[in-house]
Amino acid sequence: MTKDENCGKFTADGENELENDMNESAENTLFRVMHKLICSVQTYDWGKPGSRSTVAALVKEGHHANYVDDNKPYAEFWMGVHKNGPAKIEQTSEDLLNCIKNHPEMVGKHEQGTLQFLFKVLSVEKALSIQSHPTKKLLDSNEAIAKQTLKKIFTKVWASSPEAIAKAVQAFVARIKKDPKNKLDELILRLDSAYPGGDVGVFAPLLLNYFTLKPGQATFLGPNQPHAYLSGGSCLIC
């Protein structure tokens, strides 16, 4: 920068240079601080209605949407870069993934220019379908899948005809209704009530571990492990 010795002020060229330097500094600073995100919401039918949903409360308090419908299910609140619901930087309205690509210093090198996880909040009104999150290694190894006993059982049962499944579920539920003995029996009856007509998911508690988390507790589910969330006011998942 140059300085006018007569008046003690920066010249026009100097002012431009100073302004550019300040803009660059402001831009660099912008991506070294925390940013408010506008996050995505999923309204799956198993979610709690807006009047009772933690997800809806987050949407409302954080102004992530213009309106919350008290009767609409608000199931999942997503904070991440998933293509089906990427978060946006509130200040710039830019997709978080694009922002990270343009400013890789925002995340650690181990994230490889993106986010390797999706942070969620769930509000579960009724049981979800059985799901798992396979790794690429498992996807590429059909032999590894075939050797898993649990996978074989699930495949055998879930591949049965709808008529055979409905008949088996109805007989199974009828037997339990006569003399429910424990929480597992109660869960099976609850699943049948939520998904009447012989849903194959009623058999799932016989094949999986059933447990309840208290507030503040956590559990770890590794890749390739089948699981399902059954109910809960709010659940944080990463």
Side-chain angles (χ1 to χ4, degrees):
M1 292 181 289
T2 60
K3 187 175 182 180
D4 187 328
E5 295 179 353
N6 294 326
C7 62
K9 296 180 180 179
F10 292 112
T11 64
D13 289 341
E15 289 175 351
N16 288 335
E17 291 176 5
L18 177 60
E19 183 179 2
N20 289 339
D21 288 345
M22 291 178 65
N23 287 341
E24 291 177 3
S25 177
E27 183 177 0
N28 289 335
T29 301
L30 176 65
F31 296 103
R32 293 177 183 171
V33 298
M34 295 181 68
H35 308 285
K36 181 178 178 181
L37 298 177
I38 299 300
C39 298
S40 176
V41 178
Q42 305 299 329
T43 56
Y44 306 131
D45 63 359
W46 50 260
K48 285 185 176 293
S51 59
R52 296 188 289 107
S53 171
T54 299
V55 169
L58 289 172
V59 171
K60 186 175 181 180
E61 292 296 326
H63 305 288
H64 297 276
N66 296 326
Y67 174 72
V68 170
D69 186 339
D70 287 344
N71 298 313
K72 184 178 181 179
Y74 287 79
E76 297 190 358
F77 186 82
W78 287 9
M79 294 161 275
V81 298
H82 195 286
K83 63 180 182 180
N84 291 340
K88 296 180 181 294
I89 303 291
E90 183 187 50
Q91 185 174 349
T92 62
S93 298
E94 184 180 14
D95 281 359
L96 180 58
L97 180 58
N98 291 335
C99 189
I100 292 173
K101 288 182 177 179
N102 292 331
H103 302 274
E105 70 276 8
M106 292 179 65
V107 298
K109 292 182 179 180
H110 60 278
E111 295 295 337
Q112 301 177 4
T114 182
L115 290 180
Q116 302 291 333
F117 61 92
L118 177 59
F119 187 35
K120 301 180 183 180
V121 177
L122 271 62
S123 288
V124 183
E125 178 77 355
K126 59 182 181 179
L128 284 68
S129 300
I130 302 293
Q131 57 186 292
S132 66
H133 307 292
T135 61
K136 188 176 187 299
K137 180 179 180 180
L138 184 65
L139 288 174
D140 290 343
S141 176
N142 291 327
E143 182 179 358
I145 297 176
K147 289 182 178 179
Q148 297 184 41
T149 302
L150 185 59
K151 179 68 176 181
K152 289 181 179 180
I153 296 174
F154 266 102
T155 301
K156 181 68 175 180
V157 175
W158 263 245
S160 301
S161 69
E163 295 78 14
I165 291 173
K167 184 177 180 180
V169 169
Q170 290 169 4
F172 179 51
V173 170
R175 179 169 61 83
I176 292 178
K177 281 183 176 180
K178 293 179 180 179
D179 186 22
K181 298 181 181 300
N182 49 45
K183 291 184 177 181
L184 188 62
D185 288 348
E186 294 173 1
L187 172 60
I188 290 170
L189 295 178
R190 177 154 59 94
L191 291 174
D192 181 65
S193 177
Y195 298 95
D199 191 286
V200 68
V202 173
F203 290 127
L206 302 177
L207 305 173
L208 302 175
N209 294 315
Y210 170 53
F211 58 92
T212 301
L213 294 176
K214 296 179 181 179
Q217 291 184 328
T219 187
F220 172 76
L221 294 173
N224 314 315
Q225 292 184 347
H227 61 278
Y229 305 101
L230 301 176
S231 65
S234 60
C235 178
L236 303 181
I237 300 176
C238 185

